[in-house]
Amino acid sequence: MTHPVLDAPISPLRQRLIDDMNMRRFSRETQRNYLRDIGRLATFLGRSPDTATADDLRRFQIEQQEDGVPVPTMNSIVSALRFFFTHTVDRPDLARKLVRLAHPRKLPVVLSRDEVARLLNATTCLKHQVALSVAYGAGLRVAEVSMLKVADVDSERMLLRVERGKGGRYRNAMLSPDLLTLLREWWKVGRQQGVMHRDGWLFPGQHAMKPISTRQLYRIVVEAAQAADIAKRVGPHTLRHSFATHLLEDGTDIRIIQVLLGHAKLNSTAFYTKVATRTVRTVTSPFDKLGLFKPGENSPDG
């Protein structure tokens, strides 16, 4: 079965949608996902998605649920369709008919500091090591690492400029002295290899004119984790989770971490308090302050 919205070379509707996403500086990955998800509705309808009715959307979501589509995937489709109906076809009444489902958020996988060091040391070349070091050392999303340019490294202000963050937002990420040293080493090696240019990508792909892909970064992380004998299920976002958790455990204010991560809402950052085990271990229980058991005394069952 084909996707009417996707298969047409360039229909006016598709172009309008792409223009709306470009105007808001959506990342390439987000645009690809939105086109795919709107294509799902077009496939269901068997006609152009801008002709959908409220009943069509209701039946579409019921069918998704009955087919066992995971809740996060269903919610991602809702986001794409809400954007489409609100901005591209100016039918906000339909956007309000789409139901977003609640689901328990799983605790993120977090590496210990030792595991992060082992993973970075298990990479097979300097470019891969530096790319993963940026993901952890600056807390960047995988797409943000991929889209960094050499000019985004601001060594005077010790910042990394993230021009295409989530939702197309611009922000500054931290640049530590050790990370800058590593980046300078990669700059020298990359120049010698002929793949690094002042106006080029910080991490070029197989073709120097294109950035490294998010898929390749994912593969690099997985292979490094296996080589480092890390049994946890690891992906590029694991390094971002670990960055935030380690900062929280070191006592960094959660609102500062929110800014560093580029989170729009504080509750997104506060989620890391659930995995900051070092923070929990450093807290003294009020029970211990009762003084019921003094050092040297026998335990109750002794």
Side-chain angles (χ1 to χ4, degrees), residues 221-239:
V221 173
V222 171
E223 291 175 353
Q226 291 174 345
D229 197 26
I230 297 173
K232 297 174 182 176
R233 186 174 182 178
V234 177
H237 219 68
T238 307
L239 295 172

Side-chain angles (χ1 to χ4, degrees), residues 187-209:
W187 167 253
K188 292 178 182 178
V189 172
R191 292 284 283 180
Q192 292 172 356
Q193 295 175 351
V195 299
M196 294 285 282
H197 307 281
R198 292 192 180 278
D199 58 348
W201 301 105
L202 187 58
F203 302 111
Q206 293 182 344
H207 191 288
M209 299 303 292

Side-chain angles (χ1 to χ4, degrees), residues 278-295:
R278 185 177 173 186
T279 303
V280 174
R281 292 197 303 269
T282 59
V283 176
T284 301
S285 168
F287 178 80
D288 291 351
K289 293 185 177 182
L290 296 179
L292 298 180
F293 301 100
K294 298 179 179 179

Side-chain angles (χ1 to χ4, degrees), residues 74 141 148 155 191 287:
M74 291 182 65
R141 301 176 179 91
L148 282 174
S155 58
R191 292 284 283 180
F287 178 80

Side-chain angles (χ1 to χ4, degrees), residues 137-139 159 171-175 240 243-270 272-273:
L159 297 171
R171 67 185 177 90
N172 289 321
M174 66 183 295
L175 174 61
R240 177 173 161 88
F243 164 85
T245 304
H246 295 165
L247 283 179
L248 190 61
E249 291 180 337
D250 286 341
T252 305
D253 187 276
I254 196 168
R255 292 190 179 275
I256 294 177
I257 299 175
Q258 177 190 3
V259 173
L260 293 175
L261 292 175
H263 282 162
K265 298 179 180 179
L266 183 60
N267 59 3
S268 297
T269 315
Y272 290 107
T273 59

